[in-house]
Amino acid sequence: MKNYYFDNSTTSFPKPKEVAEEMYNFIMNVGGTYGRVNTKRGKETTQKIEECREILAKKFIGTKNDANIIFTSGATRSVNDILIGLNLHDCKILISALEHNAVLRPVYKLNKNNNVEYKIIPSIEGGITDTDALKSIIKKEKISLVIVNMESNISGVIQPIAKIKETIGDIPMLADATQAVGVHEIKADEWNVDFIAFTGHKGLLGPTGTGGFYVKNPENLNPAYFGGGFGDGYEPPYSVPEIYEAGTPNTVGIIGLLAALKHRPDWNITTEDLIDTINKIENLNKYKTVWSKNKNTQGFVFSITTNSISMSDLAHKLYEDYNIECRYGFHCAFLAHNFYKNDNGAIRFSFSPYTTKEDLKYLINTLGNELW
């Protein structure tokens, strides 16, 4: 029986075959280090790392400044690096109602340790940030940072990042593009966004342990950690990206990410296919569907919930009886579940370029069965 993988918001599967091939080739035949030695191996490794940085910048983040793309282990590390590097103390910040714990938890620590007060920006139906309410808040209060989840990992709602940044003006903005990068168009330069955190193992189809962040104005962001790398003496180098990339990078992972960027398949499904799927599941009258409620703001993620059965029992049944892989629970985003009033958690379905229309039909038919 075919396996149906609908858990791409956790990590994408499958990956392009070239990801494994290039990682294997690098380990077995290249094996150089990045930026340390003037050997053939070192030069080839450095060239590939910089090629990956350049492709990310121009094709996926939307900036001409590829040096401002910083490699980290992923979005969680990136968010922490940015928040630490901003050195926030005794100030107020705003976050959206749909933030992942990778944002909420470090913000909570800032609140406890650095007296950083945070408020949640009101949202309208479906979870879209209310820019009118946001405008009212920043008129009344001095805000040091605004953080917005570009695409929810619960509902798939896509936020109007350009409009939000236009609304807040010169206030720095951090966009969490974990679910959006590689799936939706990002225009860092055009939108004038200050920071964008992203990961490599979801929409970019790369290996785990890869990702990074974009910084518009490096002079406004201190490095969050220190160690070996370019330059001599006690102080780190003052050039980007080196100042933010102390230590030996995940060269093997970045080589795999480069392969993923260069060998991406076309999508088999459209947003219209997904909306049709959501509508048919809603018409079953068995589940509450959690999505943006608007086809123009919907990504390739949505969830269902019900009080008739535990989410864990339903997810296990889908896997054991129907070979459907998905994720249940609160998805590291209890703030978003509070917004959608999912007291029982939810089951999330998330898709990739490898998902087909036939896969969606199978999901609809399965959920229409008497599962309990």
Side-chain angles (χ1 to χ4, degrees), residues 15 51 55 67 93 107 169 179 187 200 203 244 248 265 271 299 348:
K15 316 286 188 184
E51 182 183 7
I55 293 175
I93 67 175
V107 164
Q179 299 297 333
K187 301 179 180 180
Y244 302 115
T248 301
T271 303
R348 180 182 68 195

Side-chain angles (χ1 to χ4, degrees), residues 218-219 222-223 226 230-232 234-244:
E219 64 272 15
N222 296 316
F226 305 89
F230 295 87
D232 296 315
Y234 295 105
E235 293 292 339
Y238 289 98
S239 56
V240 290
E242 293 84 11
I243 192 170
Y244 302 115

Side-chain angles (χ1 to χ4, degrees), residues 54-68:
E54 182 179 5
I55 293 175
L56 279 169
K58 292 178 171 55
K59 293 188 177 181
F60 295 92
I61 303 300
T63 179
K64 62 182 182 296
N65 299 315
D66 51 278
N68 291 14

